[in-house]
Each structure stands twice: as C-alpha cells, then as structure tokens.
Amino acid sequence: MDNQEELFKGVSFSDLMSDVYHNSKRTSRQINQLISQLQPLIRSSSDATIIVPLIKEYLEVSVKNDDHLVKLTAIVQRYISTKQTIVGSDSLLSEEEKKQLQQKIETAKDKLKKDSHK
C-alpha cells in the first residue's frame, strides 16, 4: 500500500497527513487571532475571570481535535506498515519453514497409517 492508496472514500494516507498539518496550522492561527481579539477586552481581574476560561476551552478543543487526528494517523500508519510487511513477502512462511512443516505433516501421516494398521 502506498501513500496514495485510498483509505476510505476519496481520502488517502497522504491526504490525511495533509489534513492533520493544515488543520493544526489553521487552528493555531485561529486561536492566536481569538486571543488577540479578546485581550483588549480584559481590563480588570473580573474581565479576566470571564474571558480566560473561554480561551482555555478553545485551546482544549483544539488540542483534543489534533490528538484525534494524530491518533487516527498513527493507526493508519501501522495498518500500512503491517499490510506492506505481509504483502511485501511472498508468504508468511519462509521456504525452510514450509519444508519443515511438510516434513512434520508427512511424519504425522506415516505415524497415523502405522497406528491404523495395528
């Protein structure tokens, strides 16, 4: 799976990473703009007790949103990595392991035949 393979309708891993980056940057700009707009409104400690919690809420929502996007990205990245590992190899067993398994199967068959003739 490459970065351009579709994860879900119209979204690739590359798109997801781009969204995370751009959302984070946009949110940062919005929060900075909001804070700069609210700062002139704080003229006393009572104003601060009303406005600062609003700013705090905006920051918390932003952080939670970014955390969700980052977690989603990590999950998708693990999925891609696992899929590439499985698809990248011809099979889950090496040739040597296949031979050993085949020998064990043959040995078990022979033993079953001997036991059934007794």
Side-chain angles (χ1 to χ4, degrees), residues 1 7 34 72 107:
M1 176 179 197
L7 297 173
L34 175 68
L72 177 61
T107 304

Side-chain angles (χ1 to χ4, degrees), residues 78-92:
R78 275 186 255 136
Y79 168 74
I80 289 171
S81 166
T82 302
K83 188 171 180 183
Q84 285 175 340
T85 301
I86 291 172
V87 172
S89 62
D90 290 336
S91 69
L92 296 176

